[in-house]
Amino acid sequence: MSDSLIFEWPVRVYYEDTDAGGIVFYANYLKFFERARTEWLRACGIDQQRLADSNGIVFVVRRTAVEYTSPARLDDVIRVVSRIGRLGRASVDFHQEAWCDGVLLASGDIRVASVDRASIRPAAIPDAVLDGLKRGPHAPATASCGANPDRA
Amino acid sequence: MSDSLIFEWPVRVYYEDTDAGGIVFYANYLKFFERARTEWLRACGIDQQRLADSNGIVFVVRRTAVEYTSPARLDDVIRVVSRIGRLGRASVDFHQEAWCDGVLLASGDIRVASVDRASIRPAAIPDAVLDGLKRGPHAPATASCGANPDRA
Amino acid sequence: MSDSLIFEWPVRVYYEDTDAGGIVFYANYLKFFERARTEWLRACGIDQQRLADSNGIVFVVRRTAVEYTSPARLDDVIRVVSRIGRLGRASVDFHQEAWCDGVLLASGDIRVASVDRASIRPAAIPDAVLDGLKRGPHAPATASCGANPDRA
Amino acid sequence: MSDSLIFEWPVRVYYEDTDAGGIVFYANYLKFFERARTEWLRACGIDQQRLADSNGIVFVVRRTAVEYTSPARLDDVIRVVSRIGRLGRASVDFHQEAWCDGVLLASGDIRVASVDRASIRPAAIPDAVLDGLKRGPHAPATASCGANPDRA
């Protein structure tokens, strides 16, 4: 698989992410994975809001399968590594992993479907999006830090 | 103040509500307070969705002031006691307290404003809503358990 | 499968559960499923806190696989139907479904492992827990409404 | 007030932060404010975990007062501007504002207390922490992007 189809995004763990077990609440990995997918699309020049407004296409999560192998804790910096497993006509399968200090925390397979916003029916992914994903992130590294675009 | 302007709602604490300090994450009291306000309106026969659809009126939170006095923990049942402090023409001030086993956990003053959905400008609270709030909850006690309507 | 191994729990949808798509944020089904499992254990007389304190046993989520088939919206009452798919020596596989008005919203397979709190190693599920699960919920229906224990 | 007592932190809005009103759920500003405070302390060289381990001191939120003036939406980059209003012996009052494109979204006054972890009683803020706060952030700007520490 080409490097352009791999994307890394860091996530800092705050109190809001943890639970009384002292670790990151497992459901929150779905949030971390979504942040990474969103930033990936952004770095590929794909603007989901514009896509909805101009093409009437929205992406919805159809399926999530996550294995939890090791816990993360407060203040950890989690590295989310994402790649595309299958790029279909109306859906994309992402494989995403959360790592911290060389330890795998969680790995997930997330299916995202392209649907027509009005009918909520499957819709072909626009060519511009497919091209963007295949071309990969083209924004400079610092600009890909979505958390800090104007200080970069 | 009339009893009709006091409302109690219980909230169970799950892992999702806690943080690595072993206690309920403070921001979550705003969620508990909102659940209680929502159930209060429902028990008063006020349907917010219908209100939005027919009158174009939505309620938005304008101000929250919360003091945290004692922590709650996993599995606790929190009793949210709410009363109206001020019932204005275009806003309502709620005073809400969270209790557990006779201990005050948190108390908050929440201002909710009535706004026109389209313009997002202040709008008079419809008379039917004012009447409903003044009349108070009329649903039977068990039916007011929003968590379990069809088993009541 | 015996009826004792099926459990239903209702969940009301509040603003906190929704996202800008106007529907329940998909990650939140994991929260709803956990609330249902927790109440199931409670109804079976299994106190997780006591289990941790006396036996040093805690339950952790190892794997979640969820399919999302239809969206839920604000104010909906979701019925979570749970059953045990496999009751192992050190883990339990739950199959859980979220329904609303006869429509399947989401279905999930959740593996929960029994681990020793100190070592975080797999540990046999205590016999008392196995017995409780096999015997099933014995609390009266109203008392199983964890959201409203003292008004029942 | 010295510039060293002002700190800015950007926060990107994802689906997880929004609600069915199409805007950021108000309770989430408390999360954004906490992320900003945490990164401020980190940039000042204050490690809360080390503080807890070596001095037995933890910071807890005692009071939050937030006014919501304008909504934020999906994909917005919110700039959290924080300053210290009062630096006491056992508590700190933060004034924090959330801005987007020159529009004030929310402003909050947050009181954080220093407590002894064991007794949960007020405890003097250690001198090293006071010094760190007064000296202000000393990490380089790019390193203050907590979301992306190792790519900076």
Side-chain angles (χ1 to χ4, degrees), chain A residues 10 14 16 35 39 145 147, chain D residues 10 14 16 35 39 145 147 151:
Chain A
Y14 299 107
E16 64 182 88
R35 294 182 201 173
E39 296 302 339
C145 172
Chain D
Y14 299 107
E16 64 183 87
R35 294 182 201 173
E39 295 303 338
C145 173
R151 299 182 75 177

Side-chain angles (χ1 to χ4, degrees), chain D residues 71-82:
Chain D
R73 292 173 202 286
L74 192 66
D75 285 336
D76 280 348
V77 175
I78 295 175
R79 178 177 293 276
V80 179
V81 183
S82 308

Side-chain angles (χ1 to χ4, degrees), chain D residues 67-129:
Chain D
E67 294 219 33
Y68 305 92
T69 48
S70 193
R73 292 173 202 286
L74 192 66
D75 285 336
D76 280 348
V77 175
I78 295 175
R79 178 177 293 276
V80 179
V81 183
S82 308
R83 61 180 175 77
I84 291 179
R86 190 189 58 84
L87 186 50
R89 273 311 290 162
S91 68
V92 187
D93 290 351
F94 290 90
H95 179 75
Q96 302 189 272
E97 295 176 350
W99 291 82
C100 184
D101 289 335
V103 175
L104 179 65
L105 308 173
S107 61
D109 290 292
I110 314 292
R111 172 164 295 175
V112 176
S114 165
V115 301
D116 180 85
R117 186 161 58 168
S119 66
I120 317 288
R121 298 270 174 117
I125 300 172
D127 286 337
V129 173

Side-chain angles (χ1 to χ4, degrees), chain B residues 7-17 31-32 34-36 38-39 42 47-49 58-59 74-75 77 79 141-142 144-152, chain C residues 7-17 31-32 34-36 38-39 42 47-49 58-59 74-75 77 79 141-142 144-152:
Chain B
F7 183 77
E8 294 193 16
W9 187 255
V11 171
R12 175 73 77 171
V13 175
Y14 299 107
Y15 266 111
E16 64 183 85
D17 305 308
K31 295 184 180 180
F32 301 163
E34 174 162 317
R35 294 182 201 174
T38 302
E39 295 303 338
R42 201 190 315 280
D47 182 323
Q48 292 188 73
Q49 193 60 56
V58 293
F59 290 113
L74 191 65
D75 286 335
V77 175
R79 177 177 292 277
T142 48
S144 78
C145 172
N148 207 353
D150 15 32
R151 300 183 74 178
Chain C
F7 183 77
E8 294 192 17
W9 187 254
V11 170
R12 175 73 78 171
V13 175
Y14 299 107
Y15 266 111
E16 64 183 87
D17 305 309
K31 296 184 180 180
F32 301 163
E34 175 163 316
R35 295 182 200 173
T38 303
E39 296 301 339
R42 201 190 316 281
D47 182 324
Q48 292 186 73
Q49 192 60 57
V58 291
F59 290 113
L74 192 65
D75 285 336
V77 175
R79 177 177 293 277
T142 49
S144 77
C145 172
N148 205 353
D150 16 32
R151 298 182 77 178

Side-chain angles (χ1 to χ4, degrees), chain B residues 19 24-30 68, chain D residues 30-31 34 37 61 64:
Chain B
D19 70 19
V24 168
F25 186 60
Y26 61 96
N28 290 336
Y29 286 95
L30 291 181
Y68 306 92
Chain D
L30 290 182
K31 296 184 180 179
E34 175 163 316
R37 293 194 307 273
V61 172
T64 61

Side-chain angles (χ1 to χ4, degrees), chain A residues 1 9 14 27 34 40 52 58-59 62 71 90 114 119 138 142-143:
Chain A
M1 173 161 298
W9 187 255
Y14 299 107
E34 175 163 315
W40 189 355
V58 293
F59 289 112
R62 280 283 183 241
S114 165
S119 66
H138 57 269
T142 49

